[in-house]
Amino acid sequence: DGGITQSPKYLFRKEGQNVTLSCEQNLNHDAMYWYRQDPGQGLRLIYYSQIVNDFQKGDIAEGYSVSREKKESFPLTVTSAQKNPTAFYLCASSITRQPQHFGDGTRLSIL
Amino acid sequence: QKEVEQDPGPLSVPEGAIVSLNCTYSNSAFQYFMWYRQYSRKGPELLMYTYSSGNKEDGRFTAQVDKSSKYISLFIRDSQPSDSATYLCAMSAEGTNAGKSTFGDGTTLTVKP
């Protein structure tokens, strides 16, 4: 079954710690995206990548970092510089001019 | 002001009702219009996808786009309890990174049996 797999489903971060959220897709999509969703709010774009080894900042990139070494994978690191990381993180992928398909998200909380 | 404004809700209707969900936008470059459904603790799933103006129907769902008014709607006929979810509108422009969409804040719908 083709799709987007995000792991883990739940993640806890201690103060001063970096954590990495995994996103893998087997849809052969070129573009991948990371969003943050807070309660009662829409999706805010953190980073996106249109091709391997290239990525661009979205609207709220501060405190986050990404890599795109493989077409299938687009991990997101939430760094200690992100002071309010508690949120639901969604990964998506798409082909050009087509809508995005989403994974089932990772919920990150502060310990 | 946000580029995409979505009726905030929440919305509660009896089973069988017709539901209307709406978004307005300010960016005239938007050409692609999507509606996503999101169940609690899940990722959004694509419901409807339209290009430019017009109507599109898929079963109980109808999407309408009025570019002259910068207004889009999603209608749900014969609503069911399983339709209870948050609905997100999304839009993107031609030419630039067209997969990069702008989302509304979502409308939470509850359909009561």
Side-chain angles (χ1 to χ4, degrees), chain A residues 36-44 60 84-89, chain B residues 105:
Chain A
R36 170 180 172 139
Q37 187 175 35
D38 292 285
Q41 296 190 31
L43 279 59
R44 291 187 289 167
I60 56 164
N84 183 24
T86 298
F88 189 47
Y89 290 87
Chain B
D105 285 347

Side-chain angles (χ1 to χ4, degrees), chain B residues 23-38:
Chain B
C23 289
T24 58
Y25 63 95
S26 57
N27 187 347
S28 57
F30 287 146
Q31 294 276 14
Y32 300 89
F33 303 93
M34 287 72 70
W35 285 96
Y36 288 86
R37 177 174 63 197
Q38 185 177 22

Side-chain angles (χ1 to χ4, degrees), chain B residues 41-62:
Chain B
R41 297 185 178 86
K42 292 287 192 179
E45 58 176 317
L46 182 67
L47 270 182
M48 300 290 280
Y49 171 52
T50 54
Y51 174 73
S52 195
S53 282
N55 293 0
K56 185 174 183 178
E57 190 174 318
D58 184 0
R60 296 184 295 111
F61 299 90
T62 300

Side-chain angles (χ1 to χ4, degrees), chain A residues 10 33 35 37 40-43 45 48 50 88 90 94 97-104 107, chain B residues 32 34 36 38 41-46 49 88 94-95 97-101 103-106:
Chain A
Y10 301 94
Y33 312 80
Y35 292 91
Q37 187 175 35
Q41 296 190 31
L43 279 59
L45 183 64
Y48 64 100
Q50 293 179 264
F88 189 47
L90 288 159
S94 73
R97 296 186 181 82
Q98 292 297 312
Q100 297 169 33
H101 295 264
F102 286 84
D104 273 342
R107 191 166 298 277
Chain B
Y32 300 89
M34 287 72 70
Y36 288 86
Q38 185 177 22
R41 297 185 178 86
K42 292 287 192 179
E45 58 176 317
L46 182 67
Y49 171 52
L88 299 160
E94 185 82 73
N97 180 2
K100 182 170 169 283
S101 301
F103 287 80
D105 285 347

Side-chain angles (χ1 to χ4, degrees), chain A residues 23 32-34 47-49 66-68 72-76:
Chain A
C23 178
M32 296 187 75
Y33 312 80
W34 274 105
Y47 269 97
Y48 64 100
S49 167
V66 293
S67 63
R68 187 87 185 276
E72 305 79 24
S73 178
F74 191 40
L76 173 75

